[in-house]
């Protein structure tokens, strides 16, 4: 069949199989008009350039996409559905309001985005020698073919290597049949060899800002080794599909791959190239500091150009595949906050606010149990918006002050309502049985405070701490509310230098050995987390070093549960949690139940309800999209066999 792909101001047709059945809008850096994208297109320098850029651009269709965010953070210990959740969010949550179905858009995006990129990579590689392609650029293409296959195999299990013209060949025919390869075949035939080539042939430094390098390939390969080691071990007996013995074709066991993951991660740490840890966790996510040395791979965007952003940059944005709308889903409707009848916190394009879609709410457990030691560990403060501050002046209201809690005045920039870091039993939510309804969203009061407050174990599905770390950042607000209704124009994080430490530590927990223990490695991350330069909740400078206390508080023996807790603190809300829990087969144990105040009534702040999830072993694989199966020209029995069991 023919798929139409929009490369900037042109339409190019690509012969493809049913895997590429969805029409997709693709943006690339080059704006020069091109001809038809025929099978021989990659035999030209122009075709190669366009294809390579397409591989980078495809990351935007996945990372920052609200469906992918839903599929990777919702239904875990991090998030549940919120007040404005639609059916797909309730389905993915598996908490009694719905079930994941095979035509679920949230779980289908990886499939429909990855295969066009893979086929493009196949086309480039097939013609690389004829074009005289530089080995380093060939390595970039191999990196992305492996990258997208790695994403696919983690999500769906075994997937096809033959897209219609042979294994790992550019497809030239509109075939409508397909055979899925097994998980070991996907790893050993494409993911590992492609990434090994990428490690060997990529340069130390990026050829352009944000392009992949030797150490980026090391990181993804180390994570692939780690993930495959877990798959071989299969500690909880989770079924795989297509069914196959959990044996490595090369005869290696899980311990071999854990050691490979450790060794490669340590090599990445010891040979950082242009990458490294930043001194402060706050700076890793502060908007004005994007594209720094710790950010090794990201889906890039810009506020300067709609085409290069993949979404509008002014006015009202859309939710197209390439729009970065993920953080909207986790933003509560703070615009209902009012004091003295004045909308005190208005929708604004700043990192702590943005557009509130209120589809997902954090669980109480995530904020109270995953994030401990909030007074010394900067990661909670550097992850969430915990104080909502008055900005009515930015919206044009000249009122100098409003009357807040306890009759005290609140000026622009002051906290109107705050979530307390630790539980305080002195918070009063009602007087004589009547709700105070502080700030119009049910806040309580504490003596001497002008801001209304809510305890962390008493927030509900309507109003909760927002996800500050990936919130919008613009340079064109010009003293006003800016452009809060368009998708986020910041790059979305995919891989960071810090993950080398986590991969090596996890491998060490699984038996790998080397110069640094799991505790040594985790303490590098924890020591950094103890350093403060700014208090996000209080919005004031805070020069403080709690590294020694953080290191001292680390358990002497590190287990996988502690690794996962640390990964939660480091990468909360970055679209990796479901993969972490599935890789380690801890999803049911860690996320099988959670707590939240189930109400969506603003004044309801307790008690919290424990809610169970209906996670089954078959849920460890997402369903093959129904649109894919419906378009296969195969018997009903063959189609049924193509789908992952349980769906």
């Amino acid at each position: 069949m023919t798929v139409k792909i929009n490369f900037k101001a042109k339409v190019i047709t690509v012969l493809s199989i049913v895997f590429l059945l969805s029409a997709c809008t693709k943006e690339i850096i080059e704006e020069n008009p091109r001809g038809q994208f025929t099978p021989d297109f990659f035999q030209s320098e122009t075709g190669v350039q366009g294809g390579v850029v397409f591989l980078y651009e495809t990351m935007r269709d996945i990372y920052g996409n609200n469906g992918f965010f839903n599929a990777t953070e919702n239904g875990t210990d991090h998030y549940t559905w919120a007040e404005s959740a639609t059916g797909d969010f309730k389905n993915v949550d598996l908490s009694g309001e719905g079930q994941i179905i095979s035509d679920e858009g949230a779980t289908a995006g990886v499939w429909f985005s990855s295969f066009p990129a893979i086929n493009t990579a196949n086309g480039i590689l097939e013609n690389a020698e004829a074009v005289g392609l530089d080995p380093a650029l060939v390595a970039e293409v191999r990196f992305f073919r492996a990258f997208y296959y790695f994403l696919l195999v983690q999500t769906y299990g075994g997937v096809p290597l033959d897209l219609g013209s042979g294994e790992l060949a550019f497809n030239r025919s509109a075939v409508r049949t397909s055979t899925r390869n097994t998980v070991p075949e996907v790893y050993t035939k494409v993911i590992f060899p492609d990434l090994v080539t990428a490690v060997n042939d990529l340069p130390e430094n990026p050829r352009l800002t944000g392009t992949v390098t030797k150490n980026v390939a090391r990181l993804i390969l180390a994570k692939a080794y780690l993930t495959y080691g877990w798959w071989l071990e299969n500690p909880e007996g989770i079924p795989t599909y297509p069914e196959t013995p959990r044996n490595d074709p090369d005869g290696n066991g899980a311990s071999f791959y854990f050691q490979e993951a450790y060794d490669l991660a340590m090599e990445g740490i010891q040979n950082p190239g242009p990458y490294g840890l930043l001194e402060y966790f706050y700076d890793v996510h502060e908007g004005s500091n994007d594209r720094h040395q710790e950010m090794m791979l990201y889906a890039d965007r810009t506020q300067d150009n709609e085409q290069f952003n993949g979404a509008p940059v002014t006015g009202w944005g859309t939710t197209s595949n390439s729009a970065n709308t993920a953080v909207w889903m986790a933003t509560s409707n703070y615009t209902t906050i009012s004091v003295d009848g004045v909308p005190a916190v208005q929708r604004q394009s700043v990192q702590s606010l943005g557009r509130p879609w209120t589809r997902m709410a954090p669980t109480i457990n995530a904020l109270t149990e995953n994030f401990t030691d909030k007074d010394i560990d900067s990661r909670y403060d550097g992850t969430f918006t915990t104080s909502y501050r008055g900005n009515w002046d930015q919206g044009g209201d000249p009122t100098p002050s409003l009357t807040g809690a306890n009759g005290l005045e609140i000026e622009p920039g002051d906290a109107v309502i705050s979530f307390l870091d630790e539980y305080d039993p002195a918070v009063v939510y009602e007087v004589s049985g009547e709700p105070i309804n502080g700030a119009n969203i049910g806040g309580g009061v504490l003596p001497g405070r002008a801001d209304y407050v809510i305890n962390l174990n008493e927030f509900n599905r309507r109003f909760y701490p927002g996800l500050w770390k990936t919130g919008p950042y613009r340079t064109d607000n010009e003293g006003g509310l800016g452009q809060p209704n368009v998708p986020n124009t910041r790059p979305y994080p995919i891989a960071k230098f810090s993950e080398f430490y986590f991969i090596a530590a996890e491998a060490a927990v699984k038996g790998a050995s080397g110069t640094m223990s799991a505790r040594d490695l985790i303490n590098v991350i924890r020591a950094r987390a103890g350093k403060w330069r700014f208090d996000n909740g209080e919005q004031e400078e805070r020069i403080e070093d709690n590294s020694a206390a953080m290191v001292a508080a680390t358990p002497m023996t590190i287990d996988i549960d502690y690794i996962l807790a640390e990964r939660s603190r480091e990468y909360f809300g970055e679209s990796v949690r479901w993969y972490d829990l599935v890789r380690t087969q801890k999803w049911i144990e860690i996320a099988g139940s959670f707590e939240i105040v189930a109400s969506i009534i603003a004044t309801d702040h307790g008690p919290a309800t424990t809610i169970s999830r209906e996670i089954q072993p078959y849920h460890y694989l997402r369903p093959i999209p129904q649109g894919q199966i419906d378009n296969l020209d195969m018997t009903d029995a063959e189609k049924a066999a193509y789908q992952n069991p349980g769906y």
Side-chain angles (χ1 to χ4, degrees):
M1 72 173 242
T2 298
V3 178
K4 299 211 176 208
I5 301 180
N6 186 349
F7 272 65
K8 297 299 257 186
K10 65 188 177 74
V11 173
I12 303 170
T13 57
V14 182
L15 287 177
S16 183
I17 62 168
V18 171
F19 295 104
L20 320 186
L21 59 92
S22 63
C24 319
T25 297
K26 302 294 179 190
E27 319 283 345
I28 69 168
I29 294 173
E30 295 297 331
E31 191 154 2
N32 297 330
R34 306 299 185 199
Q36 292 299 302
F37 196 4
T38 55
D40 62 353
F41 187 72
F42 294 122
Q43 294 176 9
S44 68
E45 182 181 355
T46 296
V48 169
Q49 290 174 346
V52 170
V53 176
F54 177 69
L55 300 178
Y56 283 93
E57 189 278 334
T58 297
M59 293 190 292
R60 289 207 311 243
D61 290 351
I62 300 171
Y63 293 93
N65 177 283
N66 62 58
F68 186 68
F69 184 69
N70 176 18
T72 52
E73 291 287 334
N74 193 15
T76 73
D77 54 330
H78 285 181
Y79 280 101
T80 179
W81 60 269
E83 176 189 21
S84 299
T86 51
D88 50 343
F89 289 88
K90 293 182 178 181
N91 290 349
V92 169
D93 195 40
L94 293 170
S95 58
E97 296 285 334
Q99 285 288 330
I100 297 172
I101 53 180
S102 58
D103 59 358
E104 194 77 70
T107 59
V110 169
W111 184 280
F112 288 127
S113 294
S114 296
F115 277 112
I118 287 168
N119 200 44
T120 297
N122 289 344
I124 298 171
L125 294 173
E126 202 167 281
N127 293 281
E129 184 175 352
V131 177
L133 200 59
D134 184 273
L137 201 55
V138 171
E140 280 191 46
V141 177
R142 287 195 181 278
F143 169 86
F144 277 109
R145 184 169 67 176
F147 176 83
Y148 290 115
Y149 263 121
F150 182 40
L151 196 55
L152 284 164
V153 79
Q154 292 177 87
T155 307
Y156 305 105
V159 293
L161 300 182
D162 182 349
L163 306 187
S165 295
E167 285 194 356
L168 303 180
F170 179 70
N171 183 51
R172 293 171 165 81
S173 60
V175 298
R176 296 184 63 187
T177 60
S178 177
T179 301
R180 292 172 62 182
N181 290 81
T182 65
V183 168
E185 288 174 331
V186 177
Y187 275 105
T188 60
K189 288 187 175 184
V190 61
I191 295 174
F192 294 155
D194 273 4
L195 287 174
V196 167
T197 298
V199 170
N200 290 334
D201 294 350
L202 281 170
E204 292 282 352
N205 296 296
R207 63 180 176 86
L208 296 168
T209 300
T211 57
V212 295
T213 63
K214 191 178 295 294
N215 225 17
V216 175
R218 280 195 191 105
L219 180 61
I220 302 304
L221 180 56
K223 194 166 186 177
Y225 283 147
L226 181 71
T227 305
Y228 186 55
W230 277 103
W231 185 88
L232 289 171
E233 185 181 68
N234 193 24
E236 299 300 320
I238 301 296
T240 191
Y241 203 74
E243 294 180 359
T244 187
R246 295 208 181 219
N247 298 326
D248 177 49
D250 295 327
N252 298 311
S255 59
F256 171 85
Y257 286 100
F258 290 136
Q259 189 64 54
E260 289 288 295
Y262 178 93
D263 291 343
L264 200 57
M266 290 301 299
E267 187 178 343
I269 293 169
Q270 294 160 1
N271 299 276
Y275 311 107
L277 293 178
L278 299 187
E279 185 175 1
Y280 301 99
F281 181 83
Y282 174 82
D283 287 338
V284 177
H285 303 287
E286 203 277 316
S288 66
N289 196 44
D290 285 334
R291 302 174 189 85
H292 50 69
Q293 66 179 28
E294 191 165 332
M295 198 79 76
M296 298 178 70
L297 185 65
Y298 48 84
D300 209 358
R301 293 174 174 87
T302 176
Q303 72 179 39
D304 298 324
N305 184 289
E306 180 174 324
Q307 289 182 317
F308 297 134
N309 187 52
V313 295
T314 61
W316 286 80
T318 66
T319 54
S320 63
N321 283 350
S322 56
N324 182 0
T325 55
V327 75
W328 292 0
M329 307 301 117
T331 304
S332 67
N333 194 1
Y334 61 85
T335 58
T336 60
I337 296 172
S338 68
V339 179
D340 292 343
V342 174
V345 186
Q346 299 182 24
R347 189 180 296 191
Q348 187 175 15
S349 184
V350 293
Q351 196 166 339
S352 57
L353 299 176
R355 189 171 176 179
W357 273 29
T358 320
R359 302 290 198 263
M360 292 161 53
T363 68
I364 286 174
N365 314 70
L367 274 57
T368 60
E369 297 173 14
N370 292 20
F371 287 91
T372 53
D373 301 324
K374 296 182 182 70
D375 55 333
I376 61 172
D377 188 337
S378 68
R379 290 175 292 186
Y380 175 79
D381 180 76
T383 297
F384 299 101
T385 296
T386 57
S387 62
Y388 288 82
R389 296 177 173 270
N391 65 353
W392 64 90
D393 60 323
Q394 304 292 305
D397 189 331
T399 305
S401 65
L402 304 174
T403 303
N406 299 301
L408 300 174
E409 287 191 345
I410 299 173
E411 297 179 353
D414 290 345
V416 179
I417 189 157
S418 304
F419 290 93
L420 302 178
D421 286 354
E422 303 298 337
Y423 175 73
D424 190 335
V427 175
V428 175
Y429 291 108
E430 58 182 43
V431 175
S432 300
E434 292 296 320
I436 294 172
N437 195 23
N440 195 45
I441 51 90
V445 297
L446 280 175
R449 292 186 64 147
D451 58 333
Y452 295 97
V453 296
I454 299 175
N455 277 315
L456 273 187
N457 65 337
E458 294 168 337
F459 67 80
N460 56 34
R461 296 187 191 271
R462 181 176 182 182
F463 191 71
Y464 43 82
L467 188 60
W468 175 84
K469 62 158 56 170
T470 55
Y473 172 78
R474 304 272 299 218
T475 60
D476 57 356
N477 288 358
E478 299 175 345
L481 299 178
Q483 299 287 337
N485 300 309
V486 290
N488 199 341
T489 57
R490 294 178 63 193
Y492 196 90
I494 297 175
K496 298 175 183 171
F497 188 80
S498 56
E499 196 164 14
F500 277 127
Y501 294 89
F502 282 100
I503 291 169
E506 189 174 320
V509 166
K510 299 303 293 179
S513 60
T515 56
M516 296 181 74
S517 68
R519 189 174 190 272
D520 294 334
L521 290 155
I522 289 298
N523 269 338
V524 173
I525 301 298
R526 286 179 56 79
R528 192 267 294 275
K531 294 181 179 180
W532 298 67
R533 75 166 183 85
F534 189 79
D535 191 309
N536 200 25
E538 297 297 330
Q539 284 292 290
E540 61 186 21
E541 184 180 77
R542 178 178 174 181
I543 306 302
E544 195 171 297
D545 189 347
N546 298 297
S547 299
M550 288 288 291
V551 168
T554 307
M556 295 305 297
T557 301
I558 301 294
D559 61 14
I560 192 59
D561 291 332
Y562 193 79
I563 295 285
L564 287 171
E566 279 292 314
R567 286 187 65 89
S568 175
R569 291 186 273 272
E570 194 77 16
Y571 304 121
F572 191 99
E574 296 183 41
S575 297
V576 298
R577 190 58 172 178
W578 185 76
Y579 290 110
D580 287 347
L581 298 181
V582 166
R583 178 182 68 255
T584 58
Q585 301 190 351
K586 288 280 188 174
W587 186 20
I588 295 173
E589 177 186 337
I590 288 178
S593 65
F594 63 92
E595 291 185 347
I596 196 169
V597 176
S599 176
I600 58 173
I601 299 172
T603 55
D604 194 344
H605 290 291
T609 300
T610 299
I611 298 173
S612 296
R613 286 198 172 101
E614 302 166 354
I615 306 171
Q616 301 299 321
Y618 76 83
H619 286 130
Y620 277 71
L621 295 178
R622 298 305 200 190
I624 306 301
Q626 193 63 41
Q628 166 67 63
I629 292 176
D630 288 345
N631 281 279
L632 291 172
D633 188 12
M634 303 194 313
T635 67
D636 290 344
E638 289 171 329
K639 290 181 180 181
Y642 199 86
Q643 180 59 275
N644 284 328
Y647 297 104

